Amino acid sequence: MTELEKNIIAIKRRIEVACINANRNTNSVKLLLATKTVNANKIIEAINLGETLIGENKIQEVKEKFEALKNIPYQKHFIGYLQSNKIKDILKYEVNCIQSLDRLSLAEKLHKRLTFEEKKLDVLIQVNTSFEASKFGIAPNNTIDFIKQVANFETLQIKGLMTIGLFSSDADKVRQCFKNLKALQQQIIALNLPNVSMQELSMGMSGDLEIAIEEGATIIRVGTAIFGKRIYPDSYYWNEV
Ligand SMILES: *Cc1c(COP(=O)(O)O)cnc(C)c1O
């Protein structure tokens, strides 16, 4: 068995145990492989092991891996900070879902381009549930207004919410981030907004996926625990504005 296969099996086991503890069905949680810095061959190996959901942080990497992965069936999500000048590339490289929609100017530009290309795109709204810790994501208090505005763009199909939990060894503080996202989801569902689905909650990573599953995650995004440590620090991916 390869290292990759062992790691995937171990993560599946963690998901299963967390679901049992949370009284949830194991297939209510999707595993997204966070493949930043991971080369196309490794990704193909993971897809051959049955994985179907891949998330990239940078358009440059989506572009580099595009040809090699072109004829392989999988879902490509974008989970990093998206600059407006990369919108054409998002469509060109066939991204299926942007999990990091966090500002109106980006939504407007996406809508314009999608209208021009006669396409639609799934999006998740990224919420900053940890406040000061990360500069990405919309503030929880502004999220409902933002979603009402995005819902006017019929090319954007809102499927739910995404968050990066606080980086902390204090499990209660991490849990509170996920609770905040869940509470927001419930508030939005109650509003019954047209053109808004809240089925997905993308939260939880290698270090905190159990807590996220207990709090209702439907997509967990895992990198390190499957592919090993990255050579670049996360700040390289998360501080690009
Ligand atoms: C890298 C990344 C992950 C995965 O993080 P790990 O700790 O390596 O599992 C999840 N979400 C986002 C947005 C990421 O950039």
Side-chain angles (χ1 to χ4, degrees), residues 114-129:
L114 285 160
T115 304
F116 178 74
E117 294 195 22
E118 297 181 359
K119 286 180 180 167
K120 291 188 179 223
L121 188 62
D122 288 351
V123 295
L124 303 185
I125 308 302
Q126 184 173 357
V127 183
N128 184 350
T129 54

Side-chain angles (χ1 to χ4, degrees), residues 57-93:
N57 287 66
K58 280 185 184 285
I59 283 295
Q60 185 56 34
E61 284 193 48
V62 173
K63 187 176 168 180
E64 282 163 13
K65 301 171 198 177
F66 181 72
E67 280 302 321
L69 298 173
K70 211 172 167 185
N71 298 314
I72 297 168
Y74 72 102
Q75 289 280 312
K76 191 184 312 178
H77 285 205
F78 193 78
I79 61 174
Y81 178 80
L82 182 59
Q83 292 171 300
S84 316
N85 63 4
K86 298 293 183 343
I87 286 173
K88 281 185 193 168
D89 288 336
I90 282 279
L91 304 183
K92 182 172 167 193
Y93 299 117

Side-chain angles (χ1 to χ4, degrees), residues 11 22 48 55 63 65 71 80 90 108 113 130 132 137 148 157 164 184 198 207 232 234:
I11 284 292
N48 286 339
K63 187 176 168 180
K65 301 171 198 177
N71 298 314
I90 282 279
E108 278 167 351
R113 187 69 204 175
S130 61
E132 72 286 342
K148 285 178 180 167
Q157 302 180 304
I164 299 173
L184 203 47
M198 276 291 124
Y232 297 108
D234 280 343

Side-chain angles (χ1 to χ4, degrees), residues 5-33 51 168 171 174 178 203-215 217 220-228:
E5 195 172 1
K6 277 187 218 158
N7 292 346
I8 290 176
I9 289 171
I11 284 292
K12 291 267 164 79
R13 183 69 194 145
R14 282 175 64 185
I15 295 172
E16 201 181 310
V17 170
C19 282
I20 291 167
N21 289 338
N23 237 325
R24 293 183 58 186
N25 207 319
T26 309
N27 57 25
S28 66
V29 180
K30 293 187 275 278
L31 172 60
L32 176 144
L33 306 185
E51 294 314 308
S168 167
V174 177
F178 301 147
M203 56 190 196
M205 315 194 330
S206 294
D208 56 17
L209 67 92
E210 283 84 359
I211 304 175
I213 289 172
E214 284 165 25
E215 298 304 330
I220 56 164
R221 309 177 307 266
V222 180
T224 315
I226 289 176
F227 298 108

